[in-house]
Amino acid sequence: MSVTAAGDGPWLDDAAGRLVRPFTVSNGRTRPTVALDLMSQVRATGSTPLGYLGPEHAQALDLCRAPVPVAEVAAHLGLPVAVTKVLLADLVDCGALTDRPPAFHHNPTDRALLEAVLDGLRRQL
């Protein structure tokens, strides 16, 4: 069994994968204090956060030097979206990140759009 650490990242095992449960990263919290959508854009403000930040907070902050969607941050961190939202909300609360809701140029519940998506999915099957 080979256990390695990727920088300050989570402990990994070659065979087992992540050795720290994802919700341990957020201290068991499952609800963010800020309403974040999967497509919400988050960006670092440049101010230094006060208090202790875990390695995942630091990694998330590093990923947010340019505006990036919440879903992309979760993918890069390899964490569930619920955990990522809690981490990002912590960073917004301490002033290290700003968030912006997604800008839709169309109605996301437009029936014609949803039917087009459904047709495309059916063609893939």
Side-chain angles (χ1 to χ4, degrees), residues 99-115:
D99 66 308
R100 190 178 72 219
F104 290 108
H105 301 293
H106 59 278
N107 181 359
T109 57
D110 178 30
R111 183 177 179 95
L113 174 65
L114 295 174
E115 287 177 356

Side-chain angles (χ1 to χ4, degrees), residues 12-25:
L12 300 174
D13 176 277
D14 293 337
R18 192 178 194 72
L19 296 178
V20 174
R21 295 283 184 210
F23 287 95
T24 304
V25 172

Side-chain angles (χ1 to χ4, degrees), residues 32-78:
T33 56
V34 176
L36 294 170
D37 186 82
L38 282 175
M39 296 305 297
S40 294
Q41 299 283 313
V42 288
R43 182 178 189 160
T45 61
S47 64
T48 304
L50 301 173
Y52 171 76
L53 287 180
E56 288 82 5
H57 284 94
Q59 287 175 330
L61 191 56
D62 188 48
L63 290 168
C64 298
R65 285 180 272 162
V68 61
V70 169
E72 190 171 328
V73 175
H76 284 290
L77 292 178

